[in-house]
Amino acid sequence: MRKLVAVGTKDGVYLNDDHFGQSKIFVIFEVYGDRFAKVEERENPYFGRHQHAKVSEVLTVLGDCKVWVGSTMGTGSMKKLKEMNYDPFLVEKGSAEEAVKAYLEGKKD
């Protein structure tokens, strides 16, 4: 089964400093074991709105990505994602690739 990881970025390279739902571009990686490859970028149609995008809205863009990686997410959103069998994962900062590496290393514990 294909495992896709979505990383919230501000520019397609570096993590967004704001909430995951306020990312401008989601970079999508396919993960196989401890390896991964970038497969695409998806524009966030909810970027720039006054309020943060809701989980249900972001799901319309990332429903096929079971892992969502960002620098910050609301606790309510994280709880809702976990209840729906998604895997939210937080990293402090860095590039999208570094974030996926941190996710893979964190999941080996």
Side-chain angles (χ1 to χ4, degrees):
M1 174 177 234
R2 189 173 189 201
K3 183 173 187 175
L4 298 179
V5 175
V7 180
T9 73
K10 57 186 172 184
D11 58 5
V13 178
Y14 292 100
L15 272 127
N16 180 33
D17 299 347
D18 201 350
H19 281 264
F20 183 82
Q22 284 296 314
S23 299
K24 185 173 185 178
I25 299 168
F26 297 113
V27 181
I28 313 302
F29 293 88
E30 186 170 4
V31 173
Y32 358 78
D34 60 351
R35 297 179 335 182
F36 61 93
K38 178 180 172 181
V39 291
E40 68 178 299
E41 292 183 3
R42 298 180 190 169
E43 296 268 338
N44 181 0
Y46 306 104
F47 172 74
R49 289 189 6 193
H50 178 65
Q51 71 180 54
H52 298 297
K54 296 181 173 107
V55 169
S56 59
E57 293 172 332
V58 179
L59 274 169
T60 65
V61 180
L62 301 177
D64 59 335
C65 301
K66 285 301 194 179
V67 179
W68 295 11
V69 180
S71 61
T72 182
M73 285 184 216
T75 54
S77 294
M78 290 182 68
K79 181 181 178 199
K80 189 176 215 177
L81 285 168
K82 288 177 184 176
E83 289 170 354
M84 296 170 27
N85 293 319
Y86 285 83
D87 190 5
F89 189 80
L90 299 179
V91 295
E92 287 191 28
K93 58 184 175 179
S95 71
E97 288 190 0
E98 291 168 336
V100 176
K101 286 178 188 174
Y103 167 75
L104 292 174
E105 289 171 4
K107 292 300 164 188
K108 290 181 183 176
D109 295 342

